[in-house]
Amino acid sequence: MIVAERKPLEEIKEMIAGYKRILIVGCGTCVTICWAGGEKEVGILSSQLRLAFGKDGNELLTSEVTIERQCEREMVEELRDKVQEVEAILSLGCGAGVQTIAEVFEETPVYPALNTKFVGMPEREGVWVETCRACGDCLLGETGGICPVVRCAKGLLNGPCGGTKRGKCEVDPEKDCAWTLIYRRLEKQGRLDLMRKYYPPRNFQAVTRPGKVEALQA
Amino acid sequence: MGGNNKIVAFCCENSACAAADRAGKIRLYYPDNVRVIRVPCAGRVDVLHILKAFEKGADGVLVMGCQEEACRHLTGNTRARERVKYAEILLKESGIDGERVRMVNLAPEMAHKFAQEVSEMTERLKGLGPTPIKNGGPQR
Amino acid sequence: MQVKIGIFLCDCGGSLRNIDFPKIRGNLEKLEGVAFVDISHNLCLEEGGKALASRILSEDINRVVIAACSPELCEHNFMRLLESLRLNPNFLSIANIREQCSWAHKEDVTGKALELLRMAINKARLLQPLERKEVPVNQEVLVVGGGFSGMESTLELSQLGLRATLVEKGSALGGKLSELEGFYGLGASPKEMLGSMTRAIEEGKNIEVLTSAEVTRVEGEVGNFTVRIRRGGEEFPRSFGAIIFATGYRAGILPRDFELRPSVNIISQRNLIEILQAPEKLERKPETIGFILDVSDESSRLATLLVLNNALAVKEKWGSEAYVFCRNLKVDSDGAEKLYREARATGIAFLKFEKKPQISEEDGRVKVEAKDVLLGEEISLSCDILVVEEKGLPPEGTEALSSILNIGLDSQGFYQNENVYLYPVDSGRKGIFLVGACRGDLDISRASMDVASAVMGVCELLASGKAIVEAEKVRVDPDKCRACLTCIRVCPHGAIRLVRVNTEKEVAQIYDLACEGCGICAAICPAKAIDFEGYTDEQILAEVEAIGE
Ligand SMILES: Cc1cc2nc3c(=O)[nH]c(=O)nc-3n(C[C@H](O)[C@H](O)[C@H](O)COP(=O)(O)OP(=O)(O)OC[C@H]3O[C@@H](n4cnc5c(N)ncnc54)[C@H](O)[C@@H]3O)c2cc1C
Ligand code: SF4
Ligand code: SF4
Ligand code: SF4
Ligand code: SF4
């Protein structure tokens, strides 16, 4: 699923400064599950905004709604009546959601309340880790179902670097070396010959990986 | 509500409610600006309840649950503690002093602690003055 | 249904003088949906109750708001009263104007009382009926672990007519009973005891024993657990209403406590017992034997028992000199004090240290140097054998089991059980009990007490074959649930599971009987899909709303 994180309130406030009526739209799928943009988070943001505006003596009318999936035009279409009553939309969907809303309601400005982080899975309650970088050329079939692109700190495709030490990564000794994991997994499957397979280099930009999002709430 | 240092106290019915009852029973005479809302466990309290209490004009919020390591529902009080911390962050983001919300752990017989916490929060609120929120702000 | 509220104000025999009741009545009568406001002096007495009942019936109200003493005192009775009038007991909302208002403040608190009432009224408007329903419970019980505690549980259950299945990991029953020679605080020797218990189990009714078997999965909830048991090569499911865990503990040495390498001269209690049982292993009788206890600061009940037992045994068998180095002796188990006196009387020396003794080996002997705090002197003892203390460690697989069961572990890796609100044998999950040494440092007499309370707990849940629950007090709205699993992960009582509603949709579902009504799930659900009747978001916020109106 897509993992996202709420933007700081300050930034959101700046984006919507000057509007008096906004619609806050949550997404009921990925971002609900990672505690970033579901009905509850919509309520929190909306409450925070009313407090912040009220404190400054400014009026802000917020209406709240959470739809099944923001990345579907037909589902976004249901918002039409509500959108007509507001000056701007604040979306708690991922980037795809924001863009779908913007496309459906071209005349109304849409602002993202979240930063979309990665494709990942829950590590435990309240913590999500990146497991796929959506690289577009999936090689999981040959790596024992462990993605080196994400889980290797250097994104190496042809075995570990010289920094692997007792199964840990030299970049972060807390983290497992992805290639050690791959080796072990392939060993279990009796497919160690795959370790010899060569992948030509790809071009990845410098990014810290794997990404991680920890919720502040409990 | 507004003004008068209104405190909303979310009280766990296994501990804090009993402590509050006891405080009355032994006539501890604490400030009368506190309103107890009974909850089955401090873990029932959602950050949204805290935020909305401020929206509706509360000047301070107390979340009162069982002693550390002695929660009737095992993790309710630790979750409440984390949520209060989170609420503090959210309130600060909105420009409201984080000191206006506080987690309190107490056992059912700790009437004095109940009274003391209410008095302390009242004093703190006097120092801070009323919240900048007039009356609930515009509602949806 | 139109909400029609009846309000009863009780002035507690006219004693709540800092509240102006007529003024409150005047104020509330005007509110929408309020049928009447009565002032009573004794709602909790028979007379007051009768008056209340007749008013409820004659005015045909459907919500009852009471301003009186603490709900902890009166709520239950008023609910029963409502029930007797065929009004849903959940249609009751109480304002505590006594303990938390009149009694708590000196000055006039009419204003506060009025606010408390408005809070209660706001909540009352939103209350929904709760139905009670009967659910059947499976009366079979699973007992895991065939040591003393497990066998005793099985026997007691069978005597009470409940069917018990005893699952033991090892090839035979007995646990520590079969490993140990001498036992104190028991009439019989461990072997005799094991013999008679085994016989009783063989002859007992409603008992099934599965040895060399293990539990691999536990699903479901109290009254209806599905357990997977592995035995030999096969794995099979079985259903039980309750589970008693009696997996005992494993004795071990904590190397970090000693910084010592076991050698021929530095041995464990277990080694000593082996030698005592087979003295031919020994070249010559040891003349001086040292025992050492509490090197790390926690003194343990069982370690103390063991040292006393063994020191006495070497004295008796070999006539050796025995010295016990300790920080504290924990003699609070049955018969331990007597044992200690006996040990002193036979000439065993007890030396009390505060600072960890120095231990060194030379010429095949062990030297222990310590400062005795009672004598105030440095003592140096050269002994043939030094016997180090053993600790109770959780049995292998405890961690795995705890995650299967969704039960926490304490800092030492034992099942978590220290909580003032829970009975020691409660696991935090209804229908799962923990007894005996798997909870830590327990001797036989304490283990028997555990067994008795767990068996009582099981009976309470299963004896009648059915249970009464408030149906869907805490409820997941299947249309709103996004199956994020959050609630399932956080429920402290393991009362939620994922159920399939159709081929593509799964949702969380709360099992009424296992739910203890804490509301943690309702507060955390990111989709706001969980409602807790009596404490819904709307009801809580309606109370907040009334403050300062
Ligand atoms: C050396 C020593 C001396 C002692 N001396 C005394 C004394 O003098 N007086 C006294 O009162 N007490 C004494 N005790 C304590 C006494 O032994 C225990 O209180 C008692 O035996 C505990 O019984 P139990 O059934 O709880 O555990 P155990 O006897 O440890 O039985 C646990 C059983 O569970 C089985 N098991 C474990 N895990 C699993 C699993 N996952 N699945 C299935 N089965 C499993 C084990 O194989 C074992 O059979 C002594 C203990 C020790 C270690
Ligand atoms: S909009 Fe984004 S978060 Fe929502 S369902 Fe689509 S991909 Fe998931
Ligand atoms: S290789 Fe890794 S990053 Fe690329 S698609 Fe597969 S899982 Fe995603
Ligand atoms: S927390 Fe809410 S959305 Fe998630 S599984 Fe539970 S009920 Fe469903
Ligand atoms: S109310 Fe508490 S016990 Fe009941 S299902 Fe929710 S979290 Fe579990």
Coordinates of all heavy atoms in Angstrom, one line a residue, chain C residues 144-150 167-170 174-177 180 182-184 213-214 246-249 251 270 273 302 305-306 309 390 395-396 401 435-438 442-445 447, ligand 1:
Chain C
V144 N -2.4 -27.2 29.2 CA -1.1 -27.3 28.5 C 0.0 -27.4 29.5 O 0.2 -26.5 30.3 CB -0.8 -26.1 27.5 CG1 0.5 -26.3 26.7 CG2 -2.0 -25.9 26.6
G145 N 0.8 -28.5 29.5 CA 1.9 -28.7 30.4 C 1.5 -29.7 31.5 O 0.5 -29.6 32.2
G146 N 2.2 -30.8 31.5 CA 1.8 -31.9 32.3 C 2.7 -32.1 33.6 O 3.0 -33.2 34.0
G147 N 3.1 -31.0 34.2 CA 3.8 -31.0 35.5 C 2.8 -31.1 36.6 O 1.6 -31.4 36.3
F148 N 3.2 -30.8 37.8 CA 2.3 -30.8 38.9 C 1.0 -30.0 38.7 O -0.1 -30.4 38.8 CB 3.0 -30.3 40.2 CG 2.0 -30.1 41.3 CD1 1.6 -31.2 42.1 CD2 1.5 -28.8 41.6 CE1 0.6 -31.0 43.1 CE2 0.6 -28.6 42.6 CZ 0.1 -29.7 43.3
S149 N 1.3 -28.7 38.2 CA 0.1 -27.8 38.1 C -0.8 -28.3 37.0 O -2.1 -28.2 37.2 CB 0.6 -26.4 37.7 OG 1.7 -26.0 38.5
G150 N -0.3 -28.8 35.9 CA -1.2 -29.2 34.8 C -2.0 -30.4 35.2 O -3.2 -30.6 35.0
V167 N -2.2 -31.6 27.4 CA -1.2 -31.7 26.4 C 0.2 -31.5 27.0 O 0.4 -30.5 27.6 CB -1.5 -30.7 25.3 CG1 -0.3 -30.5 24.3 CG2 -2.7 -31.0 24.5
E168 N 1.0 -32.5 26.8 CA 2.4 -32.4 27.4 C 3.4 -32.6 26.3 O 3.3 -33.4 25.4 CB 2.6 -33.5 28.5 CG 4.0 -33.8 28.9 CD 4.8 -32.6 29.4 OE1 4.3 -31.9 30.3 OE2 6.0 -32.4 29.0
K169 N 4.4 -31.7 26.3 CA 5.4 -31.6 25.3 C 6.3 -32.9 25.4 O 6.7 -33.5 24.4 CB 6.2 -30.4 25.5 CG 7.3 -30.1 24.5 CD 7.8 -28.6 24.6 CE 8.5 -28.4 26.0 NZ 9.2 -27.1 26.0
G170 N 6.7 -33.3 26.6 CA 7.6 -34.4 26.8 C 6.9 -35.7 26.6 O 5.7 -35.8 26.3
G174 N 4.7 -35.3 34.4 CA 5.5 -35.2 35.7 C 6.2 -33.9 35.8 O 6.3 -33.3 36.9
G175 N 6.8 -33.4 34.8 CA 7.5 -32.1 34.9 C 8.6 -32.2 35.9 O 9.3 -33.2 36.0
K176 N 8.7 -31.2 36.8 CA 9.7 -31.2 37.8 C 9.6 -32.4 38.8 O 10.6 -32.9 39.4 CB 9.7 -29.9 38.6 CG 10.0 -28.7 37.8 CD 11.4 -28.6 37.4 CE 11.6 -27.5 36.4 NZ 10.9 -27.6 35.2
L177 N 8.4 -32.9 39.0 CA 8.2 -34.0 39.9 C 9.0 -35.2 39.5 O 9.5 -35.9 40.4 CB 6.7 -34.4 39.9 CG 5.7 -33.4 40.6 CD1 4.3 -34.0 40.5 CD2 6.1 -33.1 42.0
L180 N 13.1 -34.5 40.2 CA 13.7 -34.1 41.5 C 13.5 -35.3 42.5 O 12.6 -36.0 42.5 CB 13.0 -32.9 42.1 CG 13.2 -31.6 41.2 CD1 12.4 -30.5 41.8 CD2 14.7 -31.3 41.1
G182 N 14.3 -35.0 46.3 CA 13.7 -34.6 47.5 C 12.9 -33.4 47.4 O 13.2 -32.5 46.6
F183 N 11.8 -33.3 48.0 CA 10.9 -32.2 47.9 C 10.5 -31.8 49.3 O 10.2 -32.7 50.1 CB 9.7 -32.6 47.1 CG 9.5 -31.8 45.9 CD1 10.6 -31.6 45.1 CD2 8.3 -31.3 45.5 CE1 10.4 -30.9 43.9 CE2 8.1 -30.6 44.4 CZ 9.1 -30.4 43.5
Y184 N 10.4 -30.6 49.6 CA 9.9 -30.2 50.9 C 8.6 -29.5 50.9 O 8.1 -29.1 49.8 CB 10.9 -29.3 51.6 CG 12.1 -30.2 52.1 CD1 13.0 -30.7 51.3 CD2 12.1 -30.6 53.5 CE1 14.0 -31.5 51.7 CE2 13.1 -31.4 53.9 CZ 14.0 -31.9 53.0 OH 15.0 -32.8 53.4
A213 N 3.1 -33.9 22.6 CA 2.3 -33.0 21.8 C 2.5 -31.6 22.1 O 2.9 -31.2 23.2 CB 0.8 -33.4 22.0
E214 N 2.2 -30.7 21.1 CA 2.4 -29.3 21.4 C 1.3 -28.5 20.7 O 0.7 -28.9 19.7 CB 3.7 -28.9 20.8 CG 4.8 -28.8 21.8 CD 6.1 -28.2 21.2 OE1 6.8 -28.9 20.4 OE2 6.4 -27.1 21.5
A246 N 0.1 -24.4 32.0 CA 0.9 -24.8 33.2 C 2.2 -25.3 32.6 O 2.6 -26.4 32.9 CB 0.1 -25.9 33.9
T247 N 2.9 -24.4 31.9 CA 4.1 -24.9 31.2 C 5.4 -24.8 32.0 O 6.4 -25.1 31.6 CB 4.3 -24.1 29.9 OG1 4.2 -22.7 30.2 CG2 3.3 -24.5 28.9
G248 N 5.2 -24.5 33.3 CA 6.3 -24.6 34.2 C 7.5 -23.7 33.9 O 7.4 -22.7 33.2
Y249 N 8.6 -24.1 34.4 CA 9.8 -23.3 34.1 C 11.0 -24.2 34.0 O 10.9 -25.4 34.2 CB 10.0 -22.2 35.1 CG 10.6 -22.7 36.5 CD1 11.3 -21.8 37.3 CD2 10.4 -23.9 37.0 CE1 11.8 -22.2 38.5 CE2 10.9 -24.3 38.2 CZ 11.6 -23.4 38.9 OH 12.0 -23.8 40.1
A251 N 15.1 -24.7 34.9 CA 16.1 -24.2 35.8 C 17.3 -24.0 35.0 O 17.7 -24.8 34.1 CB 16.4 -25.3 36.9
R270 N 21.7 -28.8 39.8 CA 21.3 -30.0 39.1 C 22.4 -31.0 39.0 O 22.2 -32.2 39.3 CB 20.9 -29.5 37.6 CG 20.3 -30.6 36.7 CD 19.0 -31.1 37.3 NE 18.2 -30.0 37.7 CZ 17.2 -29.5 37.0 NH1 16.9 -30.1 35.8 NH2 16.4 -28.5 37.4
I273 N 22.6 -32.7 42.3 CA 21.5 -33.7 42.5 C 21.9 -35.0 41.8 O 21.8 -36.1 42.3 CB 20.2 -33.1 42.0 CG1 19.8 -32.0 42.9 CG2 19.1 -34.2 42.0 CD1 18.5 -31.3 42.4
L302 N 12.6 -20.3 45.1 CA 12.9 -21.7 44.8 C 14.4 -22.0 44.9 O 14.8 -23.0 45.4 CB 12.5 -22.0 43.4 CG 11.0 -22.3 43.3 CD1 10.6 -22.6 41.9 CD2 10.5 -23.3 44.3
L305 N 15.1 -22.7 48.5 CA 14.6 -24.0 48.8 C 15.6 -25.1 48.4 O 15.9 -26.0 49.1 CB 13.3 -24.3 48.1 CG 12.0 -23.9 48.8 CD1 10.8 -24.2 47.9 CD2 11.8 -24.6 50.1
L306 N 16.1 -24.9 47.2 CA 16.9 -25.8 46.6 C 18.3 -25.9 47.3 O 18.8 -27.0 47.6 CB 17.2 -25.4 45.1 CG 17.7 -26.4 44.1 CD1 16.8 -27.6 44.2 CD2 17.6 -25.8 42.8
N309 N 17.7 -27.6 50.7 CA 17.5 -29.1 50.4 C 18.8 -29.8 50.2 O 19.2 -30.8 50.8 CB 16.7 -29.3 49.2 CG 15.3 -29.5 49.5 OD1 14.9 -29.9 50.6 ND2 14.4 -29.2 48.5
E390 N 20.6 -21.8 41.0 CA 19.9 -21.9 39.8 C 18.7 -21.0 39.8 O 18.2 -20.7 40.8 CB 19.4 -23.4 39.6 CG 20.4 -24.2 38.9 CD 20.0 -25.7 38.8 OE1 18.8 -25.9 38.9 OE2 20.9 -26.5 38.7
P395 N 10.2 -21.6 30.3 CA 10.5 -22.8 29.5 C 10.7 -22.4 28.0 O 10.2 -21.3 27.6 CB 9.3 -23.7 29.6 CG 8.2 -22.8 30.1 CD 8.8 -21.7 30.8
E396 N 11.4 -23.2 27.3 CA 11.6 -22.9 25.9 C 10.3 -22.8 25.2 O 9.4 -23.5 25.5 CB 12.4 -24.0 25.2 CG 13.9 -23.8 25.3 CD 14.7 -25.0 25.5 OE1 14.3 -26.0 24.9 OE2 15.6 -25.0 26.3
L401 N 4.8 -19.1 22.3 CA 3.4 -19.2 22.8 C 2.8 -17.9 23.1 O 1.6 -17.7 22.8 CB 3.5 -20.1 24.1 CG 3.2 -21.6 24.0 CD1 3.2 -22.2 25.3 CD2 1.8 -21.8 23.3
V435 N -1.1 -20.9 35.3 CA -0.9 -21.4 36.7 C 0.5 -22.0 36.9 O 1.1 -22.5 35.9 CB -2.0 -22.5 37.0 CG1 -3.4 -21.9 36.9 CG2 -1.8 -23.7 36.2
G436 N 0.9 -22.0 38.1 CA 2.1 -22.7 38.5 C 3.4 -21.9 38.1 O 3.4 -20.7 37.9
A437 N 4.5 -22.7 37.9 CA 5.8 -22.1 37.8 C 5.9 -21.3 36.5 O 6.9 -20.6 36.3 CB 6.8 -23.2 37.9
C438 N 5.0 -21.4 35.5 CA 5.1 -20.6 34.3 C 4.9 -19.1 34.6 O 5.2 -18.3 33.8 CB 4.2 -21.1 33.2 SG 2.5 -20.8 33.5
L442 N 7.5 -20.1 41.8 CA 6.4 -20.7 42.7 C 6.7 -22.1 43.2 O 7.1 -22.9 42.4 CB 5.1 -20.8 41.9 CG 4.1 -19.6 42.1 CD1 4.7 -18.4 41.3 CD2 2.8 -20.0 41.6
D443 N 6.4 -22.3 44.5 CA 6.6 -23.7 45.0 C 5.2 -24.4 44.8 O 4.2 -23.9 44.4 CB 7.1 -23.7 46.4 CG 6.2 -22.9 47.3 OD1 5.0 -22.7 46.9 OD2 6.6 -22.5 48.4
I444 N 5.3 -25.7 45.3 CA 4.1 -26.5 45.1 C 2.8 -26.0 45.8 O 1.8 -25.9 45.2 CB 4.4 -27.9 45.6 CG1 5.4 -28.6 44.8 CG2 3.1 -28.8 45.7 CD1 5.0 -29.2 43.5
S445 N 3.0 -25.4 47.0 CA 1.8 -25.0 47.7 C 1.2 -23.8 47.0 O 0.0 -23.7 46.9 CB 2.1 -24.7 49.1 OG 3.0 -23.6 49.2
A447 N 1.6 -23.2 43.8 CA 1.0 -23.8 42.5 C -0.4 -24.3 42.7 O -1.3 -24.2 41.9 CB 2.0 -24.8 41.9
Ligands
LIG1 C1 15.4 -28.0 41.7 C2 14.0 -27.6 42.2 C3 13.7 -27.9 43.5 C4 12.4 -27.6 44.0 N1 12.1 -27.9 45.3 C5 10.9 -27.6 45.8 C6 10.5 -28.0 47.1 O1 11.3 -28.5 47.8 N2 9.3 -27.7 47.5 C7 8.3 -27.1 46.7 O2 7.2 -26.9 47.1 N3 8.7 -26.8 45.4 C8 9.9 -27.0 44.9 N4 10.2 -26.7 43.6 C9 9.2 -26.1 42.8 C10 8.3 -27.1 42.1 O3 9.1 -27.9 41.3 C11 7.4 -26.3 41.2 O4 6.6 -25.4 42.0 C12 6.4 -27.2 40.6 O5 7.0 -28.4 40.1 C13 5.8 -26.5 39.4 O6 5.0 -27.3 38.7 P1 4.5 -26.9 37.3 O7 3.6 -27.9 36.8 O8 4.0 -25.5 37.4 O9 5.8 -26.9 36.3 P2 6.7 -28.1 35.8 O10 6.9 -29.1 36.8 O11 7.9 -27.4 35.3 O12 5.9 -28.7 34.6 C14 5.8 -28.1 33.4 C15 5.4 -29.1 32.3 O13 5.0 -28.4 31.2 C16 5.6 -29.0 30.0 N5 5.7 -28.0 29.0 C17 6.5 -26.9 28.9 N6 6.2 -26.2 27.8 C18 5.2 -26.9 27.2 C19 4.5 -26.6 25.9 N7 4.8 -25.6 25.2 N8 3.6 -27.5 25.6 C20 3.3 -28.6 26.3 N9 4.0 -28.9 27.5 C21 4.9 -28.0 27.9 C22 7.0 -29.5 30.5 O14 7.5 -30.5 29.7 C23 6.6 -29.9 31.9 O15 6.2 -31.3 31.9 C24 11.5 -27.0 43.2 C25 11.9 -26.7 41.8 C26 13.1 -27.0 41.4 C27 13.5 -26.7 39.9

